[in-house]
Amino acid sequence: MSVLRIEGGRPLRGSVRVQGAKNGVLPILAATLLSGDVCLIHNCPRLTDVDIALDILRHLGCRAVREGECVIVDASCPTRWDIPDELMGRMRSSVFFLGPVLARMGACRLSYPGGCELGPRPIDLHLSALRALGAEIDEGHGRLECAGRLRGAEITLALPSVGATENAMMAAAAARGTTTIVNAAREPEIADLQGFLNAIGADVRGAGSSTIVVRGREDLHAGEYTVLGDRIAAATYLAAVASAGGEGEVTGVDWRHLSTVTAVLSEAGCLVYSSPSAIRIEVREPLRAVRPIRTAPYPGFPTDAQAIVMAALCKARGATVFAENIFDSRYRHVDDLVRMGADIKVEGRVAVVTGVEKLFGASVRAADLRGGAALAVAAVGAQGESVLSGLEHIDRGYADLAGALAALGADVRREEN
Ligand code: EPZ
């Protein structure tokens, strides 16, 4: 079992360049199926979720190889349209292969993606969007059988679901006619998917707003694209400096994509300087509690940053209220933060963090991706040594968390046991 051994309690000082965005590259890899040719995806992070997406593409008959930070996918002759349970079970968000496989092959079979560490993960919005595009979908016995030639439609999402928006965009890109997606998600990763789709010849407009218009094309082709920087990884590293004190710089990300997070860190007393090339943070005094943090769809405060910012505020003077409005079970990091000395009370979707003088190193375990990152953020600001296990969760979304924290000056070692 691999662990991170973290000696905390001293200020950080350093600089780190963030990886390509996990939540940007995953739908883009699925969308390469629509090109019917070779696609080059640059700034592709080394993540286990990316490895699973590449395994799915290979299972479907594509060639997929990595050359450094670039992944080359040859989607010229897929031979299958089913995603086996084993692959679906390894990554719940594989459901966004449904749209591109259906659009390219005219059929798709996959097992119903189960829940995950964050609680139930329904896909009703994905299915209703694809049915609006003309897909026949049978759901039964934990399996989805989909078929149909897709045609443009007006789709209104009951919730601005990121995944459902992405599935609808990808399916519509190769459908006959025009599709309008109303109440679309506005995350920056949606705009990145639009950028890739248009790079392979699609006609997608409006990403970043609540209404996206897709004019279906049949002549999609090879393309090349560079994935945007990971805003949640960037938030993680800024939070680590906020937790430990000192100063740090994060590059390779658009500062506007995490402005709700940097606004909270500034309110807590951090000095944050954002520019097109870098985000700098300086922490010279103890942090103070902030106004309630309510997670919401973009451009609201990102649910993926909730645990990370909570960890940074465990020693902030005063009490901060968190409301987790997106997922049902996203406080699984709290017990281990309390074991490190934090004072956190959870009641349903609400958590109240009352600042303590110090946190203390402990042996802790990641229960999910961002909760695990939060424990590392707390550990760099804790007195003494922490041992963090459950790295299989962290490796899903961070190419090298230990290396990134060490680049910021933290005393972190990864031990492969
Ligand atoms: C994406 O998940 C991200 N994953 C998540 O990041 C992120 O937390 C989430 O968006 C919200 O920003 C990827 O992009 C791979 P949603 P997704 O559909 O698409 C409900 C991480 O840590 N819903 O926007 O699954 C759902 O239950 C991961 O990087 C339905 O009810 O999120 C949730 O309450 C975690 N029916 C809400 O919508 C549906 O059909 C938002 O989910 C779909 C979703």
Side-chain angles (χ1 to χ4, degrees), residues 4-12 239-241 243-245 307-308 310-312 314-315 336-337 340 358-365 371-389 394 401 405 410-412:
L4 294 190
R5 198 171 290 278
I6 303 170
E7 185 70 34
R10 59 193 176 88
L12 303 188
V241 179
S243 170
I308 292 157
M310 180 185 286
C314 283
K315 296 181 292 177
D336 274 332
L337 288 176
M340 297 174 78
K358 289 184 184 333
L359 293 180
F360 300 91
S363 288
V364 291
R365 180 173 187 76
L375 297 176
V377 165
V380 298
Q383 300 296 320
E385 181 181 79
S386 295
V387 179
L388 173 55
S389 59
I394 293 178
L401 180 62
L405 295 175
D411 181 348
V412 186

Side-chain angles (χ1 to χ4, degrees), residues 22-23 26 92-93 96 118 120-126 159-164 166 187 231 303-304 325-327 330 369-370 396:
K22 167 179 88 79
N23 295 346
L26 291 176
R92 181 241 163 247
S93 48
F96 50 51
L118 308 180
R121 300 291 290 275
I123 61 168
D124 56 305
L125 301 179
H126 297 243
L159 282 170
S161 155
V162 171
E166 290 166 343
E187 275 71 1
R231 59 195 168 100
T303 175
D304 294 346
N325 298 314
I326 304 294
F327 291 111
R330 204 160 200 179
L369 166 56
R370 306 304 176 183
R396 285 189 44 224

Side-chain angles (χ1 to χ4, degrees), residues 306-314 331-344 353 356 358-360 362 364-365 371-379:
Q306 173 257 110
I308 292 157
V309 168
M310 180 185 286
L313 295 180
C314 283
Y331 288 133
R332 300 179 64 201
H333 49 282
V334 166
D335 289 349
D336 274 332
L337 288 176
V338 169
R339 290 184 59 242
M340 297 174 78
D343 177 354
I344 306 173
V353 180
V356 294
K358 289 184 184 333
L359 293 180
F360 300 91
V364 291
R365 180 173 187 76
L375 297 176
V377 165

Side-chain angles (χ1 to χ4, degrees), residues 85-312:
D85 296 1
E86 189 273 325
L87 286 171
M88 280 302 294
R90 286 167 57 195
M91 181 172 69
R92 181 241 163 247
S93 48
S94 308
V95 67
F96 50 51
F97 274 89
L98 178 54
V101 172
L102 187 56
R104 176 72 193 277
M105 309 298 284
C108 183
R109 175 190 299 148
L110 49 83
S111 53
Y112 213 89
C116 74
E117 309 88 353
L118 308 180
R121 300 291 290 275
I123 61 168
D124 56 305
L125 301 179
H126 297 243
L127 303 185
S128 59
L130 294 173
R131 283 185 171 115
L133 291 167
E136 300 282 330
I137 303 178
D138 290 330
E139 302 172 64
H141 317 300
R143 184 172 296 284
L144 293 170
E145 297 280 352
C146 314
R149 278 193 60 73
L150 301 180
R151 64 185 186 289
E154 164 116 355
I155 297 169
T156 297
L157 295 174
L159 282 170
S161 155
V162 171
T165 301
E166 290 166 343
N167 246 330
M169 287 166 72
M170 292 187 282
R176 272 174 295 124
T178 296
T179 296
T180 303
I181 305 170
V182 177
N183 197 24
R186 299 172 52 192
E187 275 71 1
E189 292 77 24
I190 304 284
D192 229 38
L193 178 59
Q194 172 178 285
F196 172 74
L197 288 171
N198 290 343
I200 62 170
D203 181 348
V204 185
R205 301 160 203 244
S209 77
S210 298
T211 302
I212 296 175
V213 178
V214 184
R215 288 176 178 75
R217 302 290 296 262
E218 293 183 352
D219 54 349
L220 302 183
H221 51 67
E224 187 164 4
Y225 196 75
T226 299
V227 177
L228 80 171
D230 193 312
R231 59 195 168 100
I232 305 301
T236 305
Y237 307 139
L238 294 172
V241 179
S243 170
E247 59 186 75
E249 179 187 76
V250 172
T251 59
V253 68
D254 185 330
W255 65 273
R256 293 167 297 180
H257 294 168
L258 57 154
S259 56
T260 51
V261 175
T262 52
V264 166
L265 295 177
S266 300
E267 186 185 345
C270 303
L271 299 176
V272 182
Y273 310 97
S274 298
S275 74
S277 58
I279 303 172
R280 282 192 50 73
I281 183 170
E282 291 176 22
V283 185
R284 301 287 177 226
E285 57 191 35
L287 301 187
R288 51 183 181 268
V290 299
R291 282 176 301 221
I293 294 175
R294 301 176 180 88
T295 65
Y298 195 90
F301 189 92
T303 175
D304 294 346
Q306 173 257 110
I308 292 157
V309 168
M310 180 185 286

